[in-house]
Amino acid sequence: MKATVIAPTNIAIIKYWGKNPTFENIHVPNKSSLSFTVQKLTTTTTVEAERGEFEIEFTLNGKKITAEMKEAKYVFKFLNNIKKFYPFLNNYKIKVVSENNFPTAAGYASSASGFAAFARALVEAVPEFEDIRNDDKKVSILARLGSGSATRSVPSKGGLVLWKRGVDPETSYLYDEKEASERSYAYTLIEPEKLQDLSIIYTKVNEGAKKIKSRAGMKSTVQTNPVYWNWIRYEEAHLLKETIDALQNNEREKLLNNIMKASNGLHSMCLYTQPSITYLNDTSKLIMHSIEEYNNDEVKAAYTFDAGPNAVIFTYKEYEKEVKDLLLNILEDEQKILSTSVGEGPRKTDNHLF
Ligand code: PMV
């Protein structure tokens, strides 16, 4: 069977950073996170599954992934994780072709849309997955086995998505691996139609310091940052709830302030890691400061950064032009600025990639 899925990326406003040490292998997080599903930035993936001895062939953006490449490690880990819970996958030869549509000039790496599209296409292509095909919760768990952030790109309604940690790290001993896995999934809190006043602006900031992959970075933070667990408790108990409330009650200023707070929380946790991790460069900081200045009289925009120097800016449609001009002043190239909106989740298509 062959199936093709187009899945969007997502941008976290309350970040995922750190796996539960007891369930690290299956990417159960230490705290819940919150994201917007992003329109325009997508991965298209075709999966073909044929009965036979297990085998995987993977082509990403036109390049065949060979065993020694770092991408192969992620793909193997994903499939091995799935096989633990769905052993019938051992009886399939799988061919995967995956392509990102991200504008050439932009370096928006995204394991989120990648593993979400892979998981969704896989359950369509393998007949034994029939029971979970239309179960967003189960498919989001499956995508989580490939990459944490991919969990949030699965819910079909998209919009504002909450990824529940599922297991409180303090009581991890109560669960076995299967139970822990089944408790941690994502679902839509607010549908995209209700979030169309928001504008999401992606920027491409020149890469400065050598990039530490999020997987290695968060592991190091959990192991060495002395205040990490305080941050986890604070965000889980306060910032997450406040941010959801702000969105539900349309409290713009509170939402934007919390988005910046959450981003700064993540990057201060990175700085407090030993050895220290710095993802932001001078241009990132220039963008932060110019947004803060722009907000002087009234908070109208917010920045957020993931494990890299590229800023993502949130604002409202009526200020989009002003904010883009401000970014253009810093980046001096329109190609480095892409505005989009909150979007829907993945969808199937008959336009197969092979
Ligand atoms: O699952 P990963 O390795 O893509 O983790 C991503 C972590 C951040 O992007 C930094 C934050 C987040 O919640 O997306």
Side-chain angles (χ1 to χ4, degrees):
M1 295 262 280
K2 196 189 260 190
T4 302
V5 169
I6 306 174
T9 191
N10 70 78
I11 177 74
I13 54 170
I14 299 287
K15 307 291 184 182
Y16 151 58
W17 196 253
K19 299 174 179 70
N20 182 317
T22 314
F23 303 113
E24 194 178 339
N25 244 338
I26 54 166
H27 309 163
V28 171
N30 284 324
K31 71 178 182 69
S32 306
S33 56
L34 196 61
S35 64
F36 289 117
T37 312
V38 176
Q39 248 180 40
K40 289 193 198 170
L41 302 181
T42 60
T43 301
T44 303
T45 300
T46 300
V47 173
E48 187 178 49
E50 263 178 39
R51 284 192 82 84
E53 200 179 324
F54 180 78
E55 205 180 274
I56 169 89
E57 188 191 307
F58 198 100
T59 305
L60 178 61
N61 295 327
K63 209 169 68 180
K64 240 208 188 114
I65 305 299
T66 53
E68 66 285 354
M69 291 164 77
K70 60 179 190 314
E71 289 90 348
K73 216 172 87 186
Y74 288 176
V75 171
F76 283 133
K77 187 169 175 210
F78 175 48
L79 294 168
N80 285 336
N81 265 340
I82 298 177
K83 285 193 232 163
K84 272 200 285 200
F85 302 114
Y86 301 100
F88 55 77
L89 199 64
N90 275 309
N91 307 322
Y92 283 93
K93 279 185 202 308
I94 294 160
K95 185 173 169 191
V96 186
V97 175
S98 189
E99 267 161 29
N100 295 332
N101 80 335
F102 310 163
T104 357
Y108 316 131
S110 195
S111 60
S113 51
F115 278 106
F118 191 175
R120 273 243 174 256
L122 189 68
V123 298
E124 294 291 337
V126 175
E128 285 93 330
F129 277 125
E130 197 186 344
D131 291 350
I132 75 161
R133 233 166 249 170
N134 298 316
D135 187 335
D136 276 5
K137 171 179 156 182
K138 292 241 163 73
V139 183
S140 90
I141 292 170
L142 207 67
R144 198 203 67 231
L145 299 173
S147 152
S149 57
T151 317
R152 298 185 308 239
S153 277
V154 169
S156 18
K157 286 183 192 152
L160 178 74
V161 171
L162 174 70
W163 172 19
K164 270 195 342 165
R165 66 176 174 186
V167 172
D168 179 343
E170 287 189 37
T171 53
S172 298
Y173 59 87
L174 292 173
Y175 308 97
D176 65 23
E177 198 176 46
K178 187 162 182 286
E179 285 164 338
S181 187
E182 282 172 0
R183 292 173 69 91
S184 184
Y185 55 89
Y187 54 93
T188 294
L189 284 181
I190 302 180
E191 295 180 15
E193 298 74 51
K194 297 191 178 129
L195 298 164
Q196 289 311 302
D197 54 343
L198 265 168
S199 162
I200 305 174
I201 308 172
Y202 274 75
T203 68
K204 170 72 179 152
V205 169
N206 285 332
E207 228 86 8
K210 191 167 165 269
K211 200 173 166 206
I212 300 164
K213 288 231 160 289
S214 52
R215 209 164 277 200
M218 63 176 80
K219 189 176 167 89
S220 180
T221 301
V222 178
Q223 286 172 341
T224 68
N225 180 330
V227 297
Y228 173 73
W229 291 103
N230 293 63
W231 174 67
I232 291 292
R233 279 189 287 271
Y234 162 68
E235 292 221 338
E236 185 72 34
H238 302 286
L239 201 63
L240 178 70
K241 287 189 181 64
E242 263 182 31
T243 308
I244 295 173
D245 282 352
L247 273 154
Q248 278 165 343
N249 304 327
N250 203 17
E251 295 171 90
R252 289 182 166 194
E253 206 158 303
K254 188 163 192 182
L255 171 68
L256 295 170
N257 278 329
N258 279 5
I259 289 176
M260 292 186 279
K261 207 188 219 183
S263 174
N264 291 331
L266 166 68
H267 292 279
S268 57
M269 286 305 107
C270 289
L271 216 54
Y272 217 146
T273 300
Q274 271 182 324
S276 185
I277 304 169
T278 311
Y279 287 119
L280 309 182
N281 66 17
D282 288 349
T283 312
S284 320
K285 288 176 201 161
L286 216 58
I287 294 177
M288 284 171 65
H289 296 146
S290 77
I291 294 289
E292 274 156 15
E293 210 168 85
Y294 176 69
N295 285 342
N296 218 359
D297 296 327
E298 187 191 343
V299 183
K300 293 190 283 195
Y303 51 76
T304 192
F305 297 86
D306 283 339
N310 296 334
V312 178
I313 309 297
F314 295 94
T315 187
Y316 290 89
K317 293 269 161 73
E318 60 263 42
Y319 311 122
E320 187 181 287
K321 170 94 181 54
E322 273 175 29
V323 174
K324 281 173 102 168
D325 286 346
L326 181 148
L327 293 167
L328 194 57
N329 260 335
I330 298 172
L331 297 168
E332 296 174 336
D333 181 356
E334 280 182 18
Q335 301 284 333
K336 294 181 174 172
I337 301 165
L338 172 90
S339 53
T340 180
S341 305
V342 180
E344 292 182 346
R347 62 182 169 85
K348 271 200 312 183
T349 165
D350 290 329
N351 297 326
H352 303 306
L353 295 177
F354 64 91

